């Protein structure tokens, strides 16, 4: 089949399809991570990483405060300053992450741009409660494992 310039129409279509395939492949390699291109803009990923880091710091601090407060309030479950701090920090991160999973609005507000007071309060409450709860649980386990003193 011949076109009006003496070119074969089938050859023209094949050439055009090959060009489109190369364009699509180049576009995919630029957009997909690990595809050889630059990937998504770096600023966006860096912003999300910073927000995640800030959330973890808030959860750690509030967990430490919650753990030490629980240890001071409940003398039977006190693990000492270092024990309360470690248990509170671990519980704070765990509690904050658990609260984000249970209440998706906190996670979406934390992922959005800007400062959201509701998200920060959610991180503080989840971290503090998680730190206090884990400190009490660790203190309870410690008291149960300690040998009973003779009376």
């Amino acid at each position: 089949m011949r076109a009006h310039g003496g070119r074969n129409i089938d050859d023209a279509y094949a050439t055009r399809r090959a060009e489109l395939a190369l364009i699509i492949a180049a576009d995919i390699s630029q957009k997909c991570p690990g595809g050889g291109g630059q990937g998504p803009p770096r600023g966006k990923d860096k912003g999300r990483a910073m927000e995640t880091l800030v959330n973890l710091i808030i959860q750690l601090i509030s967990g430490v405060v919650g753990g030490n407060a629980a240890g001071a309030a409940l003398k039977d479950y006190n693990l000492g300053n270092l024990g309360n701090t470690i248990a509170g920090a671990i519980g704070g991160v765990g509690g904050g992450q658990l609260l984000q999973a249970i209440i998706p609005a906190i996670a979406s507000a934390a992922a959005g741009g800007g400062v959201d007071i509701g998200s920060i309060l959610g991180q503080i409450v989840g971290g503090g409660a998680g730190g206090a709860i884990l400190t009490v649980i660790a203190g309870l386990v410690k008291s149960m494992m300690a040998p009973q003193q003779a009376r």
Side-chain angles (χ1 to χ4, degrees):
M1 184 183 263
R2 295 268 175 201
H4 39 275
R7 291 180 58 195
N8 187 341
I9 292 178
D10 291 334
D11 289 342
Y13 283 137
T15 303
R16 188 68 182 151
R17 280 193 300 260
E19 290 172 354
L20 287 173
L22 288 173
I23 292 170
I24 291 171
D27 188 48
I28 289 173
S29 71
Q30 287 180 350
K31 291 182 180 175
C32 293
Q38 294 297 319
R42 296 281 183 213
K44 198 172 195 179
D45 287 342
K46 187 175 182 181
R48 286 185 184 157
M50 286 299 291
E51 290 171 2
T52 302
L53 185 62
V54 168
N55 289 339
L56 287 174
I57 290 170
I58 291 171
Q59 292 166 0
L60 274 170
I61 292 171
S62 60
V64 167
V65 170
N68 283 308
L74 303 170
K75 297 292 184 188
D76 293 339
Y77 305 118
N78 192 357
L79 301 171
N81 287 335
L82 183 62
N84 291 340
T85 300
I86 293 171
I90 294 170
V93 171
Q97 295 299 315
L98 185 64
L99 192 62
Q100 277 186 357
I102 292 173
I103 304 173
I106 292 174
S108 65
V115 176
D116 183 16
I117 192 71
S119 172
I120 293 172
L121 287 176
Q123 300 297 327
I124 292 171
V125 168
I133 290 170
L134 188 64
T135 300
V136 169
I137 290 172
L140 180 66
V141 169
K142 178 184 169 192
S143 67
M144 289 175 63
M145 299 205 40
Q148 297 292 327
Q149 293 180 355
R151 293 184 190 193

